[in-house]
Amino acid sequence: MNKHKLKVDLSEEVLGNINKPEGNPSDLLLVRMIYEQNANHFWLEKGELFNNIEHPELPLVFEATEWEHPDIIEDELPSDSEFFRSLAKRLDNEEVEITTGQVNTDWLNWLEEDQLVETLDKWPEMIETEVQIANFEEKYRVTGYNTLYKIDFSGPYEWVSKAYAEFGQDMKNSLILRISEDIEEDLYQLSWKYKKEHGIITTESTDEELFEVLAMEADQGYLSMVFLYLEGEYDKNREIAKIPRGGACFIWEINGEGAYLAVNEERR
């Protein structure tokens, strides 16, 4: 977790003493135990948080790990929470003191866990929309397509698996641009075979685990990836990937959970 190896005590004594209501589903019990014993590693460093917003120069207004959260299942709004009301006032007036309200963020306050488990099991729908983007080639360094689709998913869960099932199994190779140290470390840990030349990584095949790792990297804005259905060309001088006739490529959208599908519909 955040480059730290976590240790978790799974002894019978600890399992027997963990505070849980009778009849509560146990699907996420291990997650709770990991968090309770390693809580500090699950919170991002403030510097990393600020680097992922549009205005990193903004000052830190308030920091907390507990607060009064609205019960969205019961149609409560943030305006129903004393914490969010005071936070809104504080943003308007520096002299206002922020109060956390009646703290309820401990998991014991949220027993409708079966709804969460049910949601996790749902397979998301894929939404495919034809689009035109003027600076697409400049931003994603891909050319040779005549049709571009925006790919979105109906839910936040299992969307990587859905994307791999739809596109990943037939991909012949991939180009990974804007390489970060993290992505190379991840590829090494996966024992993934790849070639690197002029800052570009190419792989001959993909699998769902690789999809998941690279999707998380793209979501953080660290890289862009061009997964080619057919082996395409890469112009090292212009730094552009070209889709062959009858080919297509799947591109994770940087800083987002969606993707693009660029297609060259000219048949050989």
Side-chain angles (χ1 to χ4, degrees):
M1 178 61 64
N2 291 328
K3 299 183 179 180
H4 293 279
K5 291 184 178 180
L6 305 184
K7 294 182 179 181
V8 185
D9 185 351
L10 299 178
S11 64
E12 292 185 10
E13 180 180 1
V14 173
L15 285 169
N17 291 332
I18 188 170
N19 191 12
K20 62 181 184 296
E22 184 177 353
N24 186 250
S26 59
D27 300 72
L28 301 180
L29 181 59
L30 178 60
V31 177
R32 294 195 182 106
M33 294 182 66
I34 294 174
Y35 175 75
E36 289 183 6
Q37 296 178 32
N38 300 273
N40 292 336
H41 294 312
F42 281 79
W43 298 95
L44 290 178
E45 296 289 339
K46 288 189 283 292
E48 187 174 354
L49 284 170
F50 278 101
N51 286 335
N52 281 281
I53 62 176
E54 295 182 359
H55 304 284
E57 71 279 2
L58 291 173
L60 179 66
V61 175
F62 183 74
E63 182 178 6
T65 59
E66 296 180 327
W67 59 88
E68 181 184 352
H69 199 77
D71 189 345
I72 58 175
I73 295 178
E74 297 297 330
D75 295 325
E76 289 185 2
L77 301 174
S79 57
D80 297 320
S81 164
E82 180 182 351
F83 166 65
F84 284 105
R85 288 199 303 269
S86 68
L87 179 60
K89 293 177 181 178
R90 170 63 177 80
L91 294 176
D92 187 56
N93 185 346
E94 293 183 358
E95 297 183 0
V96 172
E97 181 179 355
I98 297 177
T99 59
T100 56
Q102 297 181 356
V103 172
N104 62 356
T105 47
D106 187 281
W107 68 272
L108 287 170
N109 295 301
W110 307 90
L111 304 183
E112 304 261 350
E113 191 176 272
D114 54 327
Q115 296 188 22
L116 174 60
V117 174
E118 181 182 349
T119 302
L120 288 170
D121 291 336
K122 288 184 178 179
W123 192 251
E125 295 181 3
M126 190 177 68
I127 304 166
E128 194 172 303
T129 308
E130 186 172 346
V131 296
Q132 293 182 343
I133 302 177
N135 65 338
F136 183 83
E137 292 185 10
E138 178 181 350
K139 182 175 182 180
Y140 289 95
R141 316 302 296 166
V142 173
T143 187
Y145 65 90
N146 49 35
T147 308
L148 180 65
Y149 298 94
K150 179 71 173 65
I151 306 296
D152 291 298
F153 302 93
S154 61
Y157 306 110
E158 300 294 343
W159 58 273
V160 173
S161 297
K162 177 68 172 180
Y164 178 74
E166 293 286 340
F167 303 110
Q169 302 177 61
D170 297 326
M171 291 178 181
K172 303 302 181 184
N173 72 336
S174 62
L175 299 172
I176 308 171
L177 314 180
R178 294 178 58 201
I179 303 304
S180 69
E181 293 181 0
D182 289 338
I183 187 61
E184 288 204 71
E185 183 178 337
D186 290 337
L187 291 174
Y188 177 78
Q189 291 180 354
L190 288 175
S191 298
W192 202 258
K193 294 181 180 180
Y194 65 89
K195 298 179 181 178
K196 180 179 178 182
E197 186 178 2
H198 301 290
I200 305 300
I201 283 182
T202 61
T203 65
E204 296 181 355
S205 61
T206 62
D207 67 5
E208 187 171 342
E209 187 177 18
L210 181 67
F211 244 57
E212 185 173 356
V213 169
L214 299 183
M216 289 189 293
E217 289 282 332
D219 189 52
Q220 296 297 320
Y222 293 139
L223 54 84
S224 62
M225 292 164 297
V226 182
F227 290 105
L228 296 171
Y229 277 62
L230 298 173
E231 186 171 350
E233 302 174 0
Y234 182 71
D235 188 328
K236 299 175 183 177
N237 295 323
R238 298 173 61 203
E239 297 183 345
I240 291 179
K242 183 179 180 180
I243 305 173
R245 288 184 299 171
C249 71
F250 179 79
I251 307 167
W252 290 119
E253 182 180 6
I254 300 175
N255 296 324
E257 294 182 350
Y260 292 106
L261 180 66
V263 180
N264 185 337
E265 296 180 339
E266 296 180 9
R267 301 298 178 184
R268 289 192 173 113

